[in-house]
Amino acid sequence: MASLYAFLYTLVLVCIAAVASAQLSSTFYDTSCPHALSTIKYAVRAAVAKERRMGASLLRLHFHDCFVNGCDGSVLLDDTATFTGEKTAAPNNNSLRGFDVIDTIKSQVESVCKQVVSCADILAVAARDSVVALGGPSWTVQLGRRDATTASFDSANSDIPKPTSDLSTLLTDFSNKGLSTTDMIALSGGHTIGQARCTSFRDRIYNETNIASSLATSLQANCPSSGGDDNLSPLDASTPSTFDNYYYKNLVNKKGLLHSDQQLYNGGSADSQVTTYSTNMAQFYSDFAAAMVNMGNISPLTGSSGEIRTNCRKTN
Ligand code: HEM
Ligand SMILES: *[C@@H]1O[C@H](CO)[C@@H](O)[C@H](O)[C@H]1NC(C)=O
Ligand SMILES: *[C@@H]1O[C@H](CO)[C@@H](O)[C@H](O)[C@H]1NC(C)=O
Protein backbone atom coordinates (compact mmCIF):
# COMPACT_ATOMS: atom_id res chain seq x y z
CA MET A 1 0.00 0.00 0.00
CA ALA A 2 2.78 2.41 0.95
CA SER A 3 4.51 1.70 -2.32
CA LEU A 4 1.28 2.38 -4.26
CA TYR A 5 1.04 5.82 -2.62
CA ALA A 6 4.69 6.45 -3.38
CA PHE A 7 4.05 5.51 -7.00
CA LEU A 8 1.00 7.77 -7.32
CA TYR A 9 2.84 10.62 -5.64
CA THR A 10 5.74 10.25 -8.07
CA LEU A 11 3.30 10.13 -10.99
CA VAL A 12 1.69 13.39 -9.90
CA LEU A 13 5.08 15.09 -9.55
CA VAL A 14 6.15 13.89 -12.99
CA CYS A 15 2.91 15.24 -14.51
CA ILE A 16 3.36 18.63 -12.82
CA ALA A 17 6.95 18.81 -14.05
CA ALA A 18 5.85 17.94 -17.58
CA VAL A 19 3.21 20.68 -17.62
CA ALA A 20 5.59 23.26 -16.16
CA SER A 21 8.53 22.64 -18.48
CA ALA A 22 7.07 21.25 -21.67
CA GLN A 23 4.52 23.86 -22.67
CA LEU A 24 6.25 24.26 -26.00
CA SER A 25 7.38 21.35 -28.14
CA SER A 26 9.44 21.03 -31.30
CA THR A 27 6.93 18.52 -32.74
CA PHE A 28 3.84 20.64 -32.07
CA TYR A 29 2.73 20.85 -35.74
CA ASP A 30 4.02 17.44 -36.87
CA THR A 31 0.54 15.99 -37.26
CA SER A 32 -1.65 19.12 -37.33
CA CYS A 33 0.37 20.89 -40.03
CA PRO A 34 3.28 18.79 -41.31
CA HIS A 35 4.22 21.32 -44.02
CA ALA A 36 4.21 24.40 -41.78
CA LEU A 37 7.97 24.57 -41.22
CA SER A 38 8.98 23.94 -44.83
CA THR A 39 6.46 26.55 -46.01
CA ILE A 40 7.97 29.15 -43.69
CA LYS A 41 11.53 28.21 -44.63
CA TYR A 42 10.97 28.59 -48.39
CA ALA A 43 9.19 31.90 -47.94
CA VAL A 44 12.01 33.26 -45.75
CA ARG A 45 14.60 32.07 -48.27
CA ALA A 46 12.74 33.87 -51.05
CA ALA A 47 12.45 37.09 -49.05
CA VAL A 48 16.14 37.05 -48.09
CA ALA A 49 17.17 36.25 -51.67
CA LYS A 50 15.24 39.34 -52.74
CA GLU A 51 16.75 41.56 -50.03
CA ARG A 52 19.44 40.34 -47.62
CA ARG A 53 18.48 42.90 -44.97
CA MET A 54 15.07 41.26 -44.61
CA GLY A 55 16.73 38.44 -42.65
CA ALA A 56 17.82 41.01 -40.07
CA SER A 57 14.41 42.64 -39.96
CA LEU A 58 12.65 39.31 -39.35
CA LEU A 59 15.07 38.37 -36.56
CA ARG A 60 14.42 41.69 -34.86
CA LEU A 61 10.62 41.25 -35.09
CA HIS A 62 10.81 38.09 -32.96
CA PHE A 63 12.99 39.89 -30.37
CA HIS A 64 10.60 42.84 -30.13
CA ASP A 65 7.66 40.44 -29.90
CA CYS A 66 9.19 38.39 -27.06
CA PHE A 67 10.27 41.35 -24.93
CA VAL A 68 6.76 42.78 -24.74
CA ASN A 69 4.46 40.52 -22.70
CA GLY A 70 6.17 37.42 -24.08
CA CYS A 71 6.35 35.83 -27.54
CA ASP A 72 2.68 36.23 -28.41
CA GLY A 73 2.54 37.95 -31.80
CA SER A 74 1.49 41.21 -30.14
CA VAL A 75 4.00 43.23 -32.18
CA LEU A 76 2.14 42.37 -35.38
CA LEU A 77 -1.22 43.93 -34.44
CA ASP A 78 -2.08 47.05 -36.42
CA ASP A 79 -3.44 50.15 -34.74
CA THR A 80 -7.13 50.84 -35.31
CA ALA A 81 -9.38 53.76 -34.45
CA THR A 82 -10.03 52.18 -31.07
CA PHE A 83 -6.82 50.27 -30.43
CA THR A 84 -3.18 51.35 -30.08
CA GLY A 85 -0.72 48.52 -30.52
CA GLU A 86 3.07 48.41 -30.34
CA LYS A 87 4.01 49.49 -33.84
CA THR A 88 4.31 53.19 -33.07
CA ALA A 89 6.11 52.79 -29.74
CA ALA A 90 9.51 54.51 -29.77
CA PRO A 91 11.70 51.45 -30.44
CA ASN A 92 9.43 50.34 -33.31
CA ASN A 93 8.08 53.45 -35.06
CA ASN A 94 9.70 54.03 -38.47
CA SER A 95 12.08 51.21 -37.65
CA LEU A 96 10.50 47.74 -37.50
CA ARG A 97 9.97 46.18 -40.90
CA GLY A 98 9.10 42.85 -42.48
CA PHE A 99 5.37 42.94 -41.74
CA ASP A 100 4.51 42.34 -45.40
CA VAL A 101 6.76 39.29 -45.47
CA ILE A 102 5.02 37.91 -42.37
CA ASP A 103 1.66 38.51 -44.11
CA THR A 104 2.86 36.53 -47.14
CA ILE A 105 4.11 33.68 -44.98
CA LYS A 106 0.91 33.64 -42.94
CA SER A 107 -1.30 33.43 -46.02
CA GLN A 108 0.81 30.59 -47.44
CA VAL A 109 0.65 28.73 -44.13
CA GLU A 110 -3.11 29.34 -43.90
CA SER A 111 -3.53 27.84 -47.36
CA VAL A 112 -1.86 24.58 -46.24
CA CYS A 113 -3.53 24.44 -42.77
CA LYS A 114 -6.35 26.74 -41.85
CA GLN A 115 -6.07 28.43 -38.46
CA VAL A 116 -3.53 26.01 -36.99
CA VAL A 117 -0.20 27.85 -36.89
CA SER A 118 0.10 30.96 -34.73
CA CYS A 119 1.69 34.24 -35.80
CA ALA A 120 3.93 34.05 -32.73
CA ASP A 121 5.33 30.70 -33.90
CA ILE A 122 5.78 32.02 -37.45
CA LEU A 123 7.96 34.81 -36.00
CA ALA A 124 10.06 32.30 -34.03
CA VAL A 125 10.60 30.04 -37.04
CA ALA A 126 11.22 32.93 -39.44
CA ALA A 127 13.89 34.29 -37.06
CA ARG A 128 15.74 30.97 -37.10
CA ASP A 129 15.38 30.56 -40.88
CA SER A 130 16.64 34.13 -41.40
CA VAL A 131 19.79 33.49 -39.38
CA VAL A 132 20.40 30.28 -41.35
CA ALA A 133 19.77 32.05 -44.68
CA LEU A 134 22.47 34.60 -43.79
CA GLY A 135 25.02 31.90 -42.97
CA GLY A 136 24.48 31.59 -39.22
CA PRO A 137 23.76 28.67 -36.90
CA SER A 138 20.58 26.62 -36.81
CA TRP A 139 18.61 25.40 -33.82
CA THR A 140 15.42 23.49 -33.10
CA VAL A 141 12.53 25.93 -32.60
CA GLN A 142 10.12 25.14 -29.79
CA LEU A 143 6.50 25.55 -30.93
CA GLY A 144 2.95 25.83 -29.64
CA ARG A 145 2.75 29.54 -28.82
CA ARG A 146 -0.66 31.13 -29.29
CA ASP A 147 -1.47 34.69 -30.31
CA ALA A 148 -2.41 37.51 -27.97
CA THR A 149 -5.64 39.43 -28.34
CA THR A 150 -3.95 42.48 -26.81
CA ALA A 151 -0.74 44.47 -27.18
CA SER A 152 1.04 47.05 -25.04
CA PHE A 153 2.35 50.35 -26.36
CA ASP A 154 3.61 51.24 -22.86
CA SER A 155 5.46 47.95 -22.33
CA ALA A 156 7.07 48.28 -25.76
CA ASN A 157 8.41 51.66 -24.64
CA SER A 158 9.59 50.43 -21.26
CA ASP A 159 10.75 46.83 -21.84
CA ILE A 160 12.61 46.90 -25.16
CA PRO A 161 16.26 47.77 -24.43
CA LYS A 162 17.43 51.23 -25.50
CA PRO A 163 20.53 52.02 -27.56
CA THR A 164 21.45 54.75 -25.08
CA SER A 165 21.62 52.33 -22.13
CA ASP A 166 24.75 51.40 -20.20
CA LEU A 167 25.82 47.81 -19.49
CA SER A 168 24.13 47.56 -16.09
CA THR A 169 20.77 48.65 -17.53
CA LEU A 170 21.07 46.25 -20.45
CA LEU A 171 21.79 43.38 -18.06
CA THR A 172 18.76 44.34 -15.95
CA ASP A 173 16.53 44.58 -19.04
CA PHE A 174 17.43 40.99 -20.00
CA SER A 175 17.34 39.63 -16.47
CA ASN A 176 13.82 41.06 -16.12
CA LYS A 177 12.89 38.66 -18.95
CA GLY A 178 14.61 35.70 -17.29
CA LEU A 179 17.66 35.90 -19.56
CA SER A 180 21.22 35.56 -18.25
CA THR A 181 24.31 37.69 -18.80
CA THR A 182 25.58 35.06 -21.24
CA ASP A 183 22.27 35.22 -23.12
CA MET A 184 22.41 39.02 -23.27
CA ILE A 185 25.93 39.13 -24.69
CA ALA A 186 25.24 36.31 -27.17
CA LEU A 187 21.88 37.74 -28.33
CA SER A 188 23.47 41.14 -28.91
CA GLY A 189 25.38 39.34 -31.68
CA GLY A 190 22.13 39.71 -33.64
CA HIS A 191 23.71 43.05 -34.53
CA THR A 192 26.11 41.24 -36.85
CA ILE A 193 23.41 41.85 -39.49
CA GLY A 194 21.08 44.71 -40.38
CA GLN A 195 21.01 48.49 -40.29
CA ALA A 196 20.38 51.33 -37.88
CA ARG A 197 19.16 54.88 -38.44
CA CYS A 198 21.35 57.90 -37.83
CA THR A 199 19.09 58.96 -34.96
CA SER A 200 20.02 55.75 -33.10
CA PHE A 201 23.78 56.42 -33.11
CA ARG A 202 24.30 60.16 -33.74
CA ASP A 203 25.35 60.97 -30.20
CA ARG A 204 27.90 58.16 -30.26
CA ILE A 205 29.68 59.25 -33.44
CA TYR A 206 29.89 62.93 -32.47
CA ASN A 207 30.30 62.81 -28.70
CA GLU A 208 31.86 59.54 -27.56
CA THR A 209 35.52 58.76 -27.10
CA ASN A 210 35.50 54.95 -27.07
CA ILE A 211 34.93 54.82 -30.83
CA ALA A 212 37.61 54.29 -33.49
CA SER A 213 38.09 57.72 -35.12
CA SER A 214 38.14 56.16 -38.60
CA LEU A 215 34.65 54.72 -38.00
CA ALA A 216 33.28 57.94 -36.48
CA THR A 217 34.55 59.98 -39.43
CA SER A 218 33.17 57.66 -42.07
CA LEU A 219 29.76 57.43 -40.34
CA GLN A 220 29.51 61.21 -40.00
CA ALA A 221 29.49 61.51 -43.80
CA ASN A 222 26.04 59.89 -43.89
CA CYS A 223 24.77 61.03 -40.48
CA PRO A 224 24.96 64.81 -40.06
CA SER A 225 24.91 66.35 -36.59
CA SER A 226 21.39 67.50 -37.39
CA GLY A 227 18.99 66.18 -40.04
CA GLY A 228 19.18 62.87 -41.89
CA ASP A 229 17.62 61.01 -38.96
CA ASP A 230 16.56 58.07 -41.11
CA ASN A 231 19.85 57.64 -42.99
CA LEU A 232 21.03 54.06 -42.57
CA SER A 233 24.38 52.53 -41.64
CA PRO A 234 25.18 48.85 -41.05
CA LEU A 235 25.39 47.61 -37.47
CA ASP A 236 28.39 45.52 -38.57
CA ALA A 237 30.32 47.57 -41.13
CA SER A 238 32.68 44.66 -41.94
CA THR A 239 30.16 42.02 -43.07
CA PRO A 240 26.70 43.65 -42.88
CA SER A 241 24.65 40.80 -44.27
CA THR A 242 26.50 37.72 -43.09
CA PHE A 243 25.71 36.15 -39.73
CA ASP A 244 29.25 35.76 -38.38
CA ASN A 245 31.27 36.95 -35.36
CA TYR A 246 32.45 40.25 -36.84
CA TYR A 247 30.13 42.12 -34.48
CA TYR A 248 32.44 41.06 -31.63
CA LYS A 249 35.64 41.64 -33.63
CA ASN A 250 34.37 45.17 -34.22
CA LEU A 251 33.68 45.74 -30.52
CA VAL A 252 37.23 44.74 -29.62
CA ASN A 253 38.37 47.40 -32.12
CA LYS A 254 36.02 50.06 -30.68
CA LYS A 255 33.86 49.79 -33.77
CA GLY A 256 30.47 49.15 -32.22
CA LEU A 257 27.79 51.28 -33.92
CA LEU A 258 25.40 51.86 -31.03
CA HIS A 259 26.33 53.15 -27.59
CA SER A 260 24.73 49.96 -26.21
CA ASP A 261 26.90 47.78 -28.47
CA GLN A 262 30.18 49.26 -27.29
CA GLN A 263 29.02 48.92 -23.68
CA LEU A 264 29.72 45.19 -24.05
CA TYR A 265 33.41 45.94 -24.49
CA ASN A 266 34.29 48.98 -22.45
CA GLY A 267 36.41 47.69 -19.60
CA GLY A 268 33.50 46.00 -17.81
CA SER A 269 32.30 42.52 -16.91
CA ALA A 270 31.21 41.62 -20.46
CA ASP A 271 34.67 42.12 -22.01
CA SER A 272 35.93 38.57 -21.61
CA GLN A 273 32.90 36.97 -23.25
CA VAL A 274 33.16 39.43 -26.15
CA THR A 275 36.84 38.58 -26.54
CA THR A 276 35.99 34.87 -26.62
CA TYR A 277 33.32 35.32 -29.29
CA SER A 278 35.65 37.54 -31.36
CA THR A 279 38.03 34.61 -31.82
CA ASN A 280 35.73 31.60 -31.41
CA MET A 281 32.81 31.71 -33.80
CA ALA A 282 31.68 28.17 -32.88
CA GLN A 283 31.24 29.24 -29.26
CA PHE A 284 29.24 32.28 -30.36
CA TYR A 285 27.05 30.14 -32.62
CA SER A 286 26.22 27.64 -29.93
CA ASP A 287 25.57 30.27 -27.25
CA PHE A 288 23.45 32.33 -29.67
CA ALA A 289 21.35 29.30 -30.62
CA ALA A 290 20.78 28.40 -26.95
CA ALA A 291 19.91 32.01 -26.10
CA MET A 292 17.40 32.21 -28.96
CA VAL A 293 15.60 29.19 -27.53
CA ASN A 294 15.59 30.87 -24.10
CA MET A 295 14.26 34.12 -25.58
CA GLY A 296 11.59 32.17 -27.48
CA ASN A 297 10.40 30.71 -24.16
CA ILE A 298 9.47 34.08 -22.64
CA SER A 299 5.88 33.82 -21.34
CA PRO A 300 4.20 32.05 -24.25
CA LEU A 301 0.42 31.70 -24.35
CA THR A 302 -0.37 27.99 -24.53
CA GLY A 303 -3.28 25.57 -24.18
CA SER A 304 -6.51 27.49 -24.59
CA SER A 305 -5.05 30.93 -23.81
CA GLY A 306 -5.08 33.45 -26.63
CA GLU A 307 -6.06 32.36 -30.13
CA ILE A 308 -4.71 31.37 -33.54
CA ARG A 309 -5.13 34.51 -35.61
CA THR A 310 -6.15 34.11 -39.23
CA ASN A 311 -4.59 37.49 -40.08
CA CYS A 312 -1.49 38.46 -38.08
CA ARG A 313 -2.43 42.14 -38.17
CA LYS A 314 -5.72 41.77 -36.28
CA THR A 315 -7.45 39.67 -33.67
CA ASN A 316 -10.08 37.23 -34.91
C1 HEM B 1 20.98 44.50 -26.28
C2 HEM B 1 19.98 45.35 -26.42
C3 HEM B 1 19.57 45.84 -27.78
C4 HEM B 1 19.44 47.15 -28.14
C5 HEM B 1 19.66 48.36 -27.25
C6 HEM B 1 19.07 47.16 -29.53
C7 HEM B 1 18.83 48.31 -30.27
C8 HEM B 1 18.71 48.34 -31.65
C9 HEM B 1 18.59 49.54 -32.42
C10 HEM B 1 18.56 50.95 -31.86
C11 HEM B 1 18.52 49.17 -33.73
C12 HEM B 1 18.42 50.10 -34.93
C13 HEM B 1 16.98 50.58 -35.07
C14 HEM B 1 16.87 51.76 -36.01
O1 HEM B 1 17.71 52.65 -35.95
O2 HEM B 1 15.90 51.78 -36.79
C15 HEM B 1 18.59 47.74 -33.78
C16 HEM B 1 18.53 47.00 -34.92
C17 HEM B 1 18.57 45.63 -34.95
N1 HEM B 1 18.52 44.79 -33.86
FE1 HEM B 1 18.80 45.32 -31.94
N2 HEM B 1 18.99 45.88 -29.99
C18 HEM B 1 19.27 45.04 -28.95
C19 HEM B 1 19.24 43.66 -28.99
C20 HEM B 1 18.93 42.91 -30.10
C21 HEM B 1 18.68 41.49 -30.09
C22 HEM B 1 18.64 40.61 -28.83
C23 HEM B 1 18.45 41.12 -31.38
C24 HEM B 1 18.15 39.76 -31.94
C25 HEM B 1 18.62 38.63 -31.44
C26 HEM B 1 18.56 42.32 -32.19
C27 HEM B 1 18.46 42.35 -33.56
C28 HEM B 1 18.54 43.50 -34.30
C29 HEM B 1 18.63 43.50 -35.77
C30 HEM B 1 18.74 42.26 -36.64
C31 HEM B 1 18.62 44.83 -36.18
C32 HEM B 1 18.62 45.35 -37.62
C33 HEM B 1 17.20 45.31 -38.17
C34 HEM B 1 17.06 45.74 -39.61
O3 HEM B 1 18.02 45.97 -40.32
O4 HEM B 1 15.88 45.86 -40.02
N3 HEM B 1 18.82 43.38 -31.36
N4 HEM B 1 18.68 47.25 -32.49
C1 LIG C 1 5.50 57.67 -35.55
O1 LIG C 1 6.12 58.22 -36.68
C2 LIG C 1 5.27 59.07 -37.44
C3 LIG C 1 6.01 59.43 -38.74
O2 LIG C 1 7.27 59.97 -38.47
C4 LIG C 1 4.90 60.27 -36.61
O3 LIG C 1 4.06 61.15 -37.34
C5 LIG C 1 4.18 59.79 -35.37
O4 LIG C 1 3.91 60.90 -34.51
C6 LIG C 1 5.01 58.76 -34.62
N1 LIG C 1 4.20 58.18 -33.57
C7 LIG C 1 4.52 58.23 -32.30
C8 LIG C 1 3.56 57.62 -31.35
O5 LIG C 1 5.55 58.74 -31.88
C1 LIG D 1 26.82 66.17 -27.85
O1 LIG D 1 26.72 66.46 -26.46
C2 LIG D 1 26.33 67.79 -26.19
C3 LIG D 1 26.44 68.01 -24.68
O2 LIG D 1 25.72 67.02 -24.00
C4 LIG D 1 24.93 68.03 -26.73
O3 LIG D 1 24.52 69.35 -26.50
C5 LIG D 1 24.96 67.78 -28.23
O4 LIG D 1 23.63 67.86 -28.75
C6 LIG D 1 25.50 66.39 -28.55
N1 LIG D 1 25.68 66.27 -29.99
C7 LIG D 1 25.09 65.29 -30.70
C8 LIG D 1 25.34 65.31 -32.16
O5 LIG D 1 24.40 64.45 -30.20
Side-chain angles (χ1 to χ4, degrees):
M1 199 61 181
S3 69
L4 178 63
Y5 280 122
F7 170 74
L8 290 174
Y9 182 65
T10 308
L11 191 68
V12 167
L13 285 188
V14 166
C15 291
I16 290 170
V19 168
S21 69
Q23 292 169 325
L24 300 181
S25 141
S26 62
T27 58
F28 193 81
Y29 297 115
D30 281 8
T31 50
S32 60
C33 192
H35 298 300
L37 297 196
S38 57
T39 302
I40 300 169
K41 178 168 67 185
Y42 286 113
V44 168
R45 275 190 194 162
V48 172
K50 194 170 159 204
E51 186 208 8
R52 302 273 290 175
R53 185 187 175 198
M54 188 51 69
S57 304
L58 295 174
L59 172 61
R60 188 170 184 234
L61 276 182
H62 179 49
F63 164 51
H64 283 211
D65 184 32
C66 292
F67 265 61
V68 182
N69 296 335
C71 314
D72 62 356
S74 58
V75 70
L76 300 174
L77 292 174
D78 277 344
D79 287 3
T80 70
T82 54
F83 171 84
T84 304
E86 296 163 16
K87 289 184 175 180
T88 61
N92 298 339
N93 201 19
N94 305 311
S95 180
L96 277 190
R97 55 201 295 282
F99 298 113
D100 296 345
V101 171
I102 296 298
D103 289 341
T104 301
I105 296 173
K106 177 63 171 173
S107 67
Q108 291 178 1
V109 170
E110 284 297 295
S111 71
V112 293
C113 312
K114 210 167 156 42
Q115 219 181 342
V116 172
V117 182
S118 67
C119 299
D121 277 348
I122 288 174
L123 287 177
V125 175
R128 188 269 314 269
D129 293 342
S130 292
V131 169
V132 171
L134 295 176
S138 191
W139 60 91
T140 301
V141 179
Q142 295 296 110
L143 300 164
R145 299 169 192 81
R146 290 166 64 84
D147 297 323
T149 53
T150 56
S152 177
F153 178 86
D154 291 341
S155 299
N157 277 323
S158 60
D159 292 11
I160 295 171
K162 294 170 180 55
T164 49
S165 289
D166 288 348
L167 179 62
S168 61
T169 303
L170 296 168
L171 288 170
T172 307
D173 290 343
F174 279 70
S175 124
N176 285 344
K177 301 294 166 186
L179 297 173
S180 69
T181 300
T182 302
D183 289 334
M184 194 281 276
I185 299 167
L187 286 169
S188 295
H191 288 179
T192 187
I193 51 175
Q195 310 264 325
R197 294 164 303 152
C198 170
T199 186
S200 301
F201 58 83
R202 177 181 285 121
D203 203 34
R204 170 155 170 76
I205 65 173
Y206 286 97
N207 273 340
E208 295 192 356
T209 53
N210 62 350
I211 182 170
S213 56
S214 59
L215 180 70
T217 305
S218 72
L219 290 168
Q220 285 167 6
N222 192 39
C223 179
S225 54
S226 76
D229 281 9
D230 292 335
N231 295 357
L232 297 172
S233 287
L235 284 152
D236 165 7
S238 307
T239 53
S241 52
T242 304
F243 197 98
D244 55 21
N245 64 340
Y246 270 82
Y247 171 76
Y248 300 100
K249 290 182 192 283
N250 293 339
L251 295 184
V252 169
N253 293 313
K254 298 189 182 177
K255 290 184 174 176
L257 181 63
L258 307 177
H259 172 84
S260 51
D261 290 327
Q262 198 60 54
Q263 282 294 299
L264 304 188
Y265 191 85
N266 192 37
S269 59
D271 283 21
S272 65
Q273 197 179 322
V274 168
T275 303
T276 300
Y277 292 162
S278 75
T279 57
N280 187 342
M281 189 153 83
Q283 183 73 52
F284 165 51
Y285 276 6
S286 84
D287 287 0
F288 182 82
M292 285 296 293
V293 172
N294 292 339
M295 185 173 84
N297 281 336
I298 300 174
S299 310
L301 297 170
T302 57
S304 58
S305 306
E307 62 182 21
I308 305 297
R309 277 180 221 148
T310 55
N311 174 343
C312 291
R313 292 176 181 269
K314 51 187 193 189
T315 61
N316 294 339

